[in-house]
Amino acid sequence: MAERPEDLNLPNAVITRIIKEALPDGVNVSKEARRAISQAASVFVLYATSCSNNFAMKAKRKTLNAGDVLAAMEEMEFERFLEPLREALEVYKTGQKGKKEVSEQKRKDKEKKADSENDKSREEEEEEEEEERMEEEPEAENNAQEEEEEEEEEVEN
């Protein structure tokens, strides 16, 4: 757990961005108000986490899940936020599924590329071996001819 209460506060940049997105243009928020909103948001997160943890403990689990959070929101009497939270959760899951599919496709493409490079390497090696054999064959033929000629000369002598 946090050593100091300040450690539990959300980052100021995040709070400022959320405030700016929630208010119309031209509305200014004092530093004191931003601090108060930040502390209120931190308290809300801690309370929601504690309530969610209670649901997880009742289910004899150590891991909080989305269902625990939704049940906690209902228990905290924030029912009007349940539907937007479900929608946001669905969007998140869809995004994660898409990311997983993209990463899986990248992995498959990488494997295919590695396989094709290995195939190319094998093909290149085979071509080089074939070229070496082709170069060796004329030499072998020449050597055979020379040996035949030498044998003929020896027979004649």
Side-chain angles (χ1 to χ4, degrees):
M1 186 102 179
E3 295 176 16
R4 302 174 300 162
E6 298 85 38
D7 293 342
L8 300 174
N9 289 340
L10 298 169
N12 287 331
V14 173
I15 297 299
T16 302
R17 188 182 78 236
I18 292 170
I19 291 170
K20 283 183 179 180
E21 289 174 3
L23 296 174
D25 290 337
V27 176
N28 294 321
V29 178
S30 71
K31 190 175 185 178
E32 190 176 290
R34 276 196 306 270
R35 183 164 167 76
I37 291 170
S38 175
Q39 288 176 335
S42 295
V43 168
F44 174 78
V45 169
L46 289 171
Y47 182 53
T49 303
S50 176
C51 289
S52 300
N53 188 47
N54 290 340
F55 282 100
M57 286 174 44
K58 285 177 189 174
K60 298 181 181 175
R61 289 182 282 108
K62 291 184 178 182
T63 304
L64 303 181
N65 62 33
D68 298 329
V69 175
L70 294 171
M73 294 298 287
E74 193 170 356
E75 182 177 278
M76 295 172 4
E77 298 180 7
F78 283 102
E79 292 90 0
R80 71 180 204 186
F81 294 108
L82 288 176
E83 195 53 39
L85 282 174
R86 284 187 184 105
E87 291 171 6
L89 182 61
E90 202 55 44
V91 168
Y92 172 78
K93 285 179 179 179
T94 303
Q96 291 300 306
K97 184 178 179 184
K99 285 181 182 179
K100 186 176 180 180
E101 289 171 356
V102 166
S103 98
E104 183 69 21
Q105 186 61 42
K106 282 182 180 178
R107 185 187 61 77
K108 286 180 180 178
D109 291 346
K110 197 173 185 178
E111 287 176 359
K112 284 182 183 177
K113 184 178 178 183
D115 289 345
S116 69
E117 286 177 359
N118 288 341
D119 291 344
K120 285 181 184 176
S121 295
R122 279 188 230 121
E123 288 174 9
E124 289 172 359
E125 287 175 11
E126 289 172 2
E127 286 176 7
E128 288 175 7
E129 289 174 2
E130 184 66 29
E131 287 175 10
E132 288 174 6
R133 274 188 250 127
M134 296 293 254
E135 290 173 1
E136 290 173 359
E137 285 178 8
E139 287 177 17
E141 287 177 11
N142 287 341
N143 290 341
Q145 280 181 343
E146 289 174 6
E147 287 175 10
E148 284 178 18
E149 288 174 3
E150 287 175 6
E151 287 176 8
E152 287 176 8
E153 284 178 15
E154 286 178 14
V155 170
E156 289 176 5
N157 289 335

